[in-house]
C-alpha cells in the first residue's frame, strides 16, 4: 500500500457577498426604484381634445390628465417619496456599517422592522394606484365610469410603468427583510 502525504485539493467555493455589502447594494437599488417610480408618475401628463358630455355632438374641449387629479396617485407619490427618503437614510447607515461592523446585528434588527413598515406603505400605495389605473383602463360600467386609457394612452403608460417599478421596489424590500433576518439567524447560530 502506498501512502501519500498530499492533501486532497481543496474545493473552491464561490465567495458569497457579505450581508453588509448586499444590504447596501439592495438599498441603493431601492432608492433607484422608488425615485424612478415617483419621477415617472409626476411626469405623467397628457392633454387631449375630448367631447363635452351632454353637449351637442361636435362640441369639444381641451382637457389635461395629471397625476394630482386622482387622490390614489397623490398618495402613491407621497408614499414612494417617503420610501425614497428612507432608502437614502438607510443606505448611508448601511454604508457606515461596512466601515464599522460592530453594530451590524443591532442595525439589521432595526432595518428589518423599518423595512417591514415601509413595505406596507409601498404595497398599499401600489395597490391604490394600480386599482385606479385599472379603472382607467377598463372603466366601471356599474357606476358609469368610462375608460380613459383609450383617450389618454401616454398618461396610462406612465401610470402603469410607475406601478410596475413600485412593484420592483416592493420585491427589493422583501429581499432586504429576508437578508436582515438571515443575517440575524446566522449570528444566533454562531
Amino acid at each position: 500500500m502506498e501512502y501519500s502525504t498530499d492533501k486532497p485539493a481543496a474545493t473552491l467555493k464561490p465567495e458569497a457577498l457579505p450581508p453588509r455589502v448586499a444590504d447596501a447594494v439592495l438599498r441603493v437599488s431601492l432608492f433607484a426604484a422608488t425615485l424612478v417610480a415617483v419621477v415617472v408618475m409626476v411626469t405623467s401628463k397628457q392633454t387631449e381634445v375630448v367631447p363635452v358630455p351632454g353637449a351637442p355632438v361636435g362640441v369639444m374641449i381641451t382637457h389635461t390628465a395629471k397625476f394630482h387629479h386622482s387622490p390614489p396617485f397623490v398618495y402613491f407619490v407621497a408614499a414612494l417619496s417617503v420610501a425614497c427618503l428612507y432608502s437614502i437614510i438607510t443606505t448611508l447607515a448601511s454604508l457606515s456599517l461596512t466601515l464599522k461592523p460592530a453594530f451590524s446585528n443591532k442595525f439589521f434588527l432595526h432595518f428589518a422592522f423599518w423595512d417591514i413598515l415601509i413595505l406596507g406603505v409601498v404595497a398599499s400605495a401600489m395597490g391604490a394606484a394600480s386599482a385606479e389605473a385599472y379603472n382607467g383602463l377598463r372603466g366601471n360600467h356599474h357606476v358609469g365610469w368610462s375608460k380613459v386609457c383609450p383617450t389618454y394612452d401616454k398618461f396610462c403608460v406612465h401610470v402603469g410603468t410607475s406601478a410596475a417599478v413600485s412593484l420592483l421596489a416592493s420585491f427589493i424590500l422583501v429581499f432586504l427583510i429576508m437578508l436582515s433576518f438571515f443575517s440575524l439567524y446566522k449570528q444566533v447560530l454562531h
Side-chain angles (χ1 to χ4, degrees), residues 31 34 80-91:
F31 168 73
T34 55
L80 264 73
S81 296
V82 168
C84 189
L85 177 64
Y86 168 78
S87 69
I88 292 170
I89 293 168
T90 56
T91 298

Side-chain angles (χ1 to χ4, degrees), residues 21 46 59 81 86 96 117 158 190:
V21 175
Q46 186 176 359
V59 177
S81 296
Y86 168 78
S96 70
L117 178 72
H158 273 253
H190 290 101

Side-chain angles (χ1 to χ4, degrees), residues 37-38 41 71-81 122 125-126 129 162-163 166:
V38 168
M41 181 64 83
F73 295 155
V74 173
Y75 170 62
F76 178 86
V77 168
L80 264 73
S81 296
V122 169
M126 182 190 60
S162 186
S166 72

Side-chain angles (χ1 to χ4, degrees), residues 75-76 79 118-130 170:
Y75 170 62
F76 178 86
I118 295 297
L119 175 61
V121 170
V122 169
S124 70
M126 182 190 60
S130 297
S170 295

Side-chain angles (χ1 to χ4, degrees), residues 24-168:
V25 169
L26 283 172
R27 290 187 188 284
V28 169
S29 301
L30 177 63
F31 168 73
T34 55
L35 182 65
V36 167
V38 168
V39 168
V40 170
M41 181 64 83
V42 170
T43 59
S44 61
K45 176 183 174 183
Q46 186 176 359
T47 303
E48 293 292 331
V49 177
V50 295
V52 177
V57 176
V59 177
M60 308 286 265
I61 61 168
T62 302
H63 191 265
T64 303
K66 298 179 183 176
F67 85 94
H68 62 79
H69 293 160
S70 176
F73 295 155
V74 173
Y75 170 62
F76 178 86
V77 168
L80 264 73
S81 296
V82 168
C84 189
L85 177 64
Y86 168 78
S87 69
I88 292 170
I89 293 168
T90 56
T91 298
L92 294 174
S94 184
L95 289 173
S96 70
L97 288 177
T98 59
L99 300 174
K100 295 185 180 183
F103 300 108
S104 63
N105 292 341
K106 190 173 187 178
F107 269 93
F108 275 133
L109 183 61
H110 291 290
F111 283 165
F113 291 141
W114 282 102
D115 288 345
I116 290 169
L117 178 72
I118 295 297
L119 175 61
V121 170
V122 169
S124 70
M126 182 190 60
S130 297
E132 186 74 4
Y134 183 80
N135 281 334
L137 180 66
R138 299 284 184 203
N140 188 336
H141 67 278
H142 297 293
V143 293
W145 295 344
S146 61
K147 301 174 184 179
V148 297
C149 286
T151 305
Y152 299 102
D153 56 341
K154 292 178 189 169
F155 175 77
C156 289
V157 167
H158 273 253
V159 169
T161 302
S162 186
V165 174
S166 72
L167 180 63
L168 174 65

